[in-house]
Amino acid sequence: MKNFTLLAALTLTGCIAAGGLAAQQQSDAQVPAPAKILGFAPGQWHARHDQIERYFRELATSQPERALLQEIGRTHEQRPLLQLVVSSKANMAKLDDIRRQHLAVAKGEQQADAQLPLVIWLGYSIHGNEPSGANAAMQLAHYLLSSDTAEVNQWLEQAIILIQPSLNPDGHDRFANWANMHQGLNPVADPQHREHVEPWPNGRPNHYWFDLNRDWLPLQHPESRARIAQFHHWLPQVLGDFHEMGTNSSYFFQPGIPSRNNPATPDENYKLTALLAQYHAKAFDDKGKLYYTEESFDDFYIGKGSTYPDVHGSIGILFEQASSRGHLQDSINGPLSFATTIENQLLTSLSTLRGAVAHKAELQQWQRKFFRDSQSLAADDAVQGYLLTESADQSRLQDLLQLLAQHQIKAYALTENVSQGEQQFPAGQSYFVPLKQSQYRLLKAAFSTETNFRDNTFYDVSAWTLPYAYNITFASSRKVPAALSKTPWQPAAAVAAPVTAGAYAYAIRWQDQRAPVLVQQLLAKGLQLRAASKAFSAETAEGVQQFAAGTVLVPAGLQQGDWFSVLQQAQQQHGLSLAAISSGLTPMGQDLGSNQMVQLKLPQVLVMAGPGVNSSEAGELWFNLERLAGVSPSLVEPARLGQIDLSRYSHILLPDGKYQSWKESDIAKLESWVKAGGVLWAQKSALEFVAKQGWIASAVANKEELKQLVKLDELRYNDKEKLAGQQRIAGAIFQLELDLSHPLSFGLPRAELPVFKNDLMLLKTANKDFVTVGTYRSGKQLAGFVAPELAGQISESPALLAQTMGKGRVIVMVDNPVFRGYFTGSSRILVNALYFAKAFDSASGDDEGAAE
């Protein structure tokens, strides 16, 4: 086995004749092979992203008439996102004309043209530690541009092929460097070898530890925004999404489990997926390779790479290769080499091209029919669209409109007030999103509030309703409002009138999502800020104005140095209007010099991030703290708690994770830090640790006892998966009832707050007054599936507790308020904990260690 990996890699090019492909013939000796540029055969080492980039640049340079390499964006770590467009010389000469005609024909704006090429998208390694796809992409590109077979020439004539070799370059390099640094003279196949056991957070996610294959809908990251822009720029008929799975698996390609398709996906999509599967099967049959279909994975969540295309008339296909997770690893099927995984991904890349071109007419016809049917469905739908409104935080509303626009969904401003039942949608603050547009199916899925489905077992989440995520009031409408703007919403820079000098104080309204970032910037520049603990009114140049609790004040009398120019620059940078208050004596509420005004301090935040912690949720905290509060936290592994100086931090955040490894001395150190004035935040399973220490006035409900509440009649062995699916919460949206008088609720527009729940974590009723800030509202399961037995237990249980401990505070939340980065509505609770934690005091005069 000494040279297994190298030999397999060197013979890889000779293996691509699978599935009936004729032997390769070189038409141009100048087309560089991957080994020539890399210095090693693919599979011998893990190619870094810069090496992949160099290869694609050399390849495109060698074939300018048949290949175009584009940099479509940059990652957080500034690695280029690449797309190689490959087709015949004739097609490339009129590439943009073909693209425009293709879009017009697909959407019914132009008559069908049988001469138009098919558009095929092949995207690789969106999970960085699934590298076989990215390495296979080099082999595929070389094959397409160096082969002179009749079949390949036909592909290039009949198709525009888009190759995205690495959809997650930052994660890819994290893994490639790990695998390569442990590569010895001979590959070690032992699964326990360090090479096969990645360190936390591993190479799967991107820079902020997000799973980019869950970001097709939220679009929180530059990789996703670049990818979606290209998707809509081209609107492919077929999209291949190449992944890896467990080492002891074989190879999976869709169709997946038939009952777990999204209801918005037509049955014809499934049939065409099955038709193309015959070509993948033949490629593997000819090589005697193992594979399977229809037994796992689903196409329910529309924010995944294989499902998002399905609601656009495209055929999205998930491919999953058993992973070598290094260069060579033992498996139940024998030694699995990296080279073999590359070969298999290449086989299905070629079979995708073969099957798609063979069924070009059906695929083009289906996409046209998809959009034609969507128009008919929209016309017949009892609902004609959705009304959106938000009065206090236009930034959050604008962010939702921006997201919709990136998905090619149009929204129109109301020019007259609209009433929908008891809900008001005032002009100037409201929009209408019509269903009668080409994105009908995506829109229906993105706004869905369904709570029960044909198959209630989910691989991923069962809800993602966008207005709920942004905490935007919305309602379905059975008619199109009479008074709408003639043009759809377009993004515009936030502009605010500059502040003028001479005021007694300047007020920053806390309701706007941009306010915390502005406040953080002012605190970092040394300005002295105060926050109102209660609502008040004040005299301004525009007369008496009302200000809500949480309003942040910049009192002129407390400032030093050139503070006003700092304020001016920061205010203009963020485009946030400030109110100039002329007197500290207020007509209503606390005066500006009141002791009830809260002194704001610059947060110094530590996020526990390391082995034992859920890396996705740690990354979501990190990402949202920076984006929505302007705070870059310190990231520290739980194992180092006993070694670090906690006095540097005002806040410590415990993401979902296990903290049982902490010693008694570590726990005592953390407790002393809180009692001395620190603010401890804990969410999801971190609650178990906090509750065990007795730091909150509640206990965690027993998960196993909760699961036993869910029963199925006459259980058979085949019901095992169904029962497990109903005993868990895969992902649903619930409504909290908040105490709006509590500082953690400052800035929120109403007491009702949607939160995302994807864990069977529940708290029991608190045994102390004034600590419960939010509870799950009874009967308010807003979207997604949860077994009725569990939903009943969730109703009226505490979701957010905040209490005093010595001079410090402990805040716990049952759910993740920043789920996948886009639940910006509930994220305000986390942001408020940074600034207003010392504004509340749950301790009574008799409590031991009552707060100052």
Side-chain angles (χ1 to χ4, degrees):
M1 204 183 304
K2 176 178 179 180
N3 295 315
F4 184 87
T5 305
L6 176 58
L7 290 174
L10 291 173
T11 58
L12 180 54
T13 300
C15 292
I16 58 179
L21 188 66
Q24 178 174 320
Q25 298 174 6
Q26 297 296 331
S27 62
D28 188 345
Q30 298 303 311
V31 178
K36 181 178 179 181
I37 304 302
L38 299 176
F40 55 87
Q44 185 179 2
W45 292 91
H46 283 257
R48 300 186 310 271
H49 184 263
D50 63 291
Q51 294 172 315
I52 294 172
E53 177 189 2
R54 183 187 170 201
Y55 176 69
F56 273 89
R57 293 195 184 281
E58 293 279 355
L59 187 66
T61 300
S62 75
Q63 291 290 298
E65 294 181 331
R66 295 192 296 160
L68 172 66
L69 184 64
Q70 301 169 314
E71 183 177 313
I72 62 173
R74 291 252 164 178
T75 70
H76 286 292
E77 296 178 14
Q78 294 304 302
R79 291 182 175 88
L81 295 161
L82 304 176
Q83 177 173 273
L84 183 73
V85 184
V86 179
S87 193
S88 68
K89 179 179 177 180
N91 288 339
M92 295 298 290
K94 51 182 179 179
L95 189 62
D96 205 47
D97 287 340
I98 291 174
R99 184 189 65 80
R100 285 196 295 267
Q101 291 177 51
H102 157 64
L103 293 177
V105 169
K107 295 184 179 181
E109 300 164 0
Q110 184 175 311
Q111 290 296 317
D113 183 352
Q115 300 304 311
L116 275 177
L118 199 65
V119 179
I120 304 171
W121 168 307
L122 301 174
Y124 299 92
S125 301
I126 198 168
H127 294 143
N129 64 353
E130 299 175 3
S132 57
N135 286 265
M138 292 186 287
Q139 291 281 5
L140 172 66
H142 175 254
Y143 183 75
L144 293 177
L145 292 171
S146 64
S147 298
D148 190 24
T149 66
E151 184 177 43
V152 171
N153 288 334
Q154 181 193 24
W155 294 349
L156 300 185
E157 290 167 2
Q158 297 296 317
I160 307 295
I161 303 168
L162 310 175
I163 301 173
Q164 294 198 356
S166 177
L167 295 168
N168 178 9
D170 294 348
H172 176 93
D173 274 8
R174 192 181 311 128
F175 176 74
N177 289 329
W178 175 263
N180 286 336
M181 70 184 286
H182 295 98
Q183 166 86 311
L185 179 63
N186 299 311
V188 177
D190 178 5
Q192 299 179 98
H193 176 44
R194 183 172 165 83
E195 176 184 4
H196 306 305
V197 185
E198 289 177 84
W200 190 101
N202 75 42
R204 179 184 176 91
N206 77 337
H207 173 80
Y208 281 102
W209 310 332
F210 276 63
D211 184 337
L212 290 178
N213 198 41
R214 303 298 185 271
D215 198 41
W216 286 73
L217 181 66
L219 301 184
Q220 297 300 294
H221 297 278
E223 300 93 332
S224 304
R225 292 190 288 272
R227 184 174 65 249
I228 288 297
Q230 286 301 310
F231 179 89
H232 289 292
H233 189 69
W234 280 103
L235 194 60
Q237 277 102 355
V238 176
L239 185 147
D241 182 27
F242 293 83
H243 291 257
E244 293 182 10
M245 55 183 171
T247 303
N248 288 322
S249 299
S250 57
Y251 196 101
F252 168 86
F253 49 83
Q254 287 179 317
I257 298 175
S259 62
R260 297 180 191 170
N261 285 345
N262 190 282
T265 302
D267 290 340
E268 290 94 328
N269 179 284
Y270 187 87
K271 294 174 183 177
L272 286 168
T273 303
L275 180 63
L276 295 178
Q278 297 175 16
Y279 291 82
H280 315 318
K282 185 175 187 328
F284 277 68
D285 288 343
D286 288 349
K287 302 291 288 184
K289 292 176 176 287
L290 298 178
Y291 61 92
Y292 72 99
T293 65
E294 297 188 319
E295 296 177 19
S296 57
F297 302 103
D298 65 27
D299 260 344
F300 189 81
Y301 171 48
I302 61 169
K304 293 192 303 182
S306 61
T307 314
Y308 187 84
D310 294 346
V311 290
H312 289 86
S314 303
I315 307 300
I317 308 174
L318 172 66
F319 298 98
E320 293 274 356
Q321 161 66 47
S323 181
S324 64
R325 283 292 189 272
H327 295 87
L328 181 68
Q329 187 172 172
D330 289 333
S331 78
I332 63 172
N333 298 314
L336 178 62
S337 72
F338 183 33
T340 298
T341 68
I342 297 171
E343 177 188 341
N344 291 344
Q345 301 284 37
L346 180 58
L347 288 176
T348 49
S349 299
L350 297 175
S351 61
T352 300
L353 296 175
R354 183 176 301 112
V357 171
H359 295 280
K360 172 187 167 186
E362 294 108 302
L363 292 166
Q364 290 177 324
Q365 180 182 4
W366 162 239
Q367 194 169 59
R368 293 195 302 273
K369 183 177 184 297
F370 176 91
F371 285 106
R372 188 169 61 248
D373 290 351
S374 294
Q375 291 175 353
S376 298
L377 289 169
D380 295 339
D381 201 315
V383 173
Q384 290 297 293
Y386 301 96
L387 292 159
L388 305 170
T389 191
E390 172 56 49
S391 59
D393 187 359
Q394 285 293 298
S395 296
R396 190 160 28 86
L397 177 56
Q398 297 295 309
D399 281 354
L400 174 57
L401 295 173
Q402 172 70 38
L403 176 60
L404 295 177
Q406 289 176 89
H407 288 295
Q408 310 296 301
I409 295 173
K410 299 180 178 67
Y412 297 85
L414 299 186
T415 55
E416 292 182 6
N417 297 345
V418 171
S419 297
Q420 184 80 6
E422 298 181 357
Q423 180 63 54
Q424 301 299 312
F425 293 86
Q429 302 172 356
S430 307
Y431 292 83
F432 180 70
V433 184
L435 274 175
K436 197 171 183 179
Q437 50 184 307
S438 62
Q439 294 296 73
Y440 167 79
R441 291 182 192 267
L442 174 65
L443 184 51
K444 287 283 285 188
F447 279 62
S448 173
T449 56
E450 293 294 325
T451 58
N452 200 22
F453 308 91
R454 178 175 59 157
D455 186 336
N456 286 315
T457 303
F458 301 94
Y459 175 73
D460 199 76
V461 299
S462 64
W464 49 82
T465 317
L466 293 182
Y468 286 147
Y470 285 81
N471 193 20
I472 298 297
T473 297
F474 78 109
S476 59
S477 176
R478 290 179 173 269
K479 61 181 182 179
V480 177
L484 293 175
S485 63
K486 294 183 179 179
T487 57
W489 176 89
Q490 292 290 330
V495 178
V499 292
T500 55
Y504 179 86
Y506 298 90
I508 304 170
R509 298 184 189 275
W510 193 247
Q511 292 92 332
D512 196 289
Q513 186 171 271
R514 290 167 292 169
V517 180
L518 172 61
V519 165
Q520 172 69 14
Q521 187 171 334
L522 297 178
L523 288 172
K525 293 291 187 179
L527 273 68
Q528 296 294 312
L529 306 183
R530 300 291 184 267
S533 60
K534 297 178 181 178
F536 68 98
S537 64
E539 293 280 355
T540 73
E542 288 76 31
V544 175
Q545 293 188 28
Q546 305 298 315
F547 296 92
T551 298
V552 175
L553 299 165
V554 187
L558 293 180
Q559 313 308 323
Q560 296 181 354
D562 191 16
W563 67 273
F564 187 71
S565 64
V566 172
L567 178 63
Q568 279 184 314
Q569 292 172 9
Q571 183 253 351
Q572 286 298 296
Q573 176 185 340
H574 297 287
L576 195 61
S577 295
L578 306 187
I581 296 176
S582 56
S583 173
L585 184 65
T586 62
M588 183 276 292
Q590 52 198 187
D591 294 327
L592 301 197
S594 167
N595 287 337
Q596 294 186 41
M597 289 287 178
V598 179
Q599 180 185 7
L600 297 189
K601 297 182 180 180
L602 188 68
Q604 301 292 339
V605 183
L606 180 155
V607 174
M608 283 295 165
V613 173
N614 183 321
S615 61
S616 294
E617 298 206 5
E620 288 158 7
L621 287 171
W622 174 21
F623 177 72
N624 278 274
L625 287 172
E626 291 196 328
R627 187 178 57 136
L628 299 179
V631 174
S632 291
S634 298
L635 305 173
V636 174
E637 300 89 340
R640 289 203 290 129
L641 177 65
Q643 306 166 24
I644 61 175
D645 178 8
L646 295 185
S647 66
R648 293 179 59 95
Y649 310 108
S650 61
H651 293 69
I652 294 178
L653 277 52
L654 304 184
D656 181 48
K658 304 298 182 183
Y659 299 91
Q660 295 91 332
S661 62
W662 276 342
K663 304 174 184 176
E664 289 186 11
S665 58
D666 296 331
I667 297 171
K669 179 179 179 180
L670 184 60
E671 182 175 6
S672 296
W673 172 84
V674 175
K675 288 183 175 179
V679 177
L680 181 68
W681 168 283
Q683 64 188 52
K684 292 183 67 173
S685 63
L687 269 66
E688 294 177 318
F689 164 75
V690 172
K692 182 180 179 180
Q693 310 314 315
W695 295 347
I696 56 173
S698 179
V700 175
N702 186 289
K703 287 186 179 182
E704 292 305 315
E705 291 179 1
L706 291 172
K707 288 180 181 180
Q708 295 309 309
L709 296 174
V710 181
K711 303 291 185 182
L712 294 179
D713 295 333
E714 299 181 359
L715 277 176
R716 298 176 299 171
Y717 182 77
N718 283 346
D719 294 323
K720 184 179 179 181
E721 184 181 12
K722 180 179 179 180
L723 177 61
Q726 300 213 14
Q727 288 180 331
R728 64 188 284 259
I729 299 177
I733 302 173
F734 283 82
Q735 185 169 287
L736 298 192
E737 180 76 23
L738 294 174
D739 177 357
L740 286 184
S741 71
H742 197 283
L744 289 183
S745 298
F746 285 173
L748 286 162
R750 53 198 158 269
E752 299 80 19
L753 177 67
V755 295
F756 193 88
K757 188 168 192 62
N758 64 345
D759 186 85
L760 192 53
M761 168 65 64
L762 292 179
L763 282 172
K764 297 181 180 179
T765 301
N767 55 30
K768 185 177 180 181
D769 294 331
F770 310 119
V771 300
T772 302
V773 184
T775 59
Y776 297 102
R777 287 194 70 183
S778 179
K780 285 297 183 177
Q781 179 183 336
L782 299 177
F785 174 77
V786 174
E789 298 90 339
L790 298 178
Q793 295 295 311
I794 293 170
S795 291
E796 302 300 328
S797 68
L800 177 65
L801 299 181
Q803 64 187 78
T804 304
M805 191 166 89
K807 294 182 179 181
R809 306 292 186 270
V810 177
I811 304 169
V812 298
M813 191 165 181
V814 176
D815 304 307
N816 174 13
V818 292
F819 176 72
R820 290 185 179 168
Y822 75 115
F823 262 71
T824 56
S826 52
S827 68
R828 174 49 66 97
I829 294 191
L830 172 68
V831 173
N832 283 350
L834 300 183
Y835 299 98
F836 302 136
K838 295 299 182 69
F840 73 83
D841 183 1
S842 68
S844 67
D846 297 329
D847 286 341
E848 181 182 353
E852 73 276 24

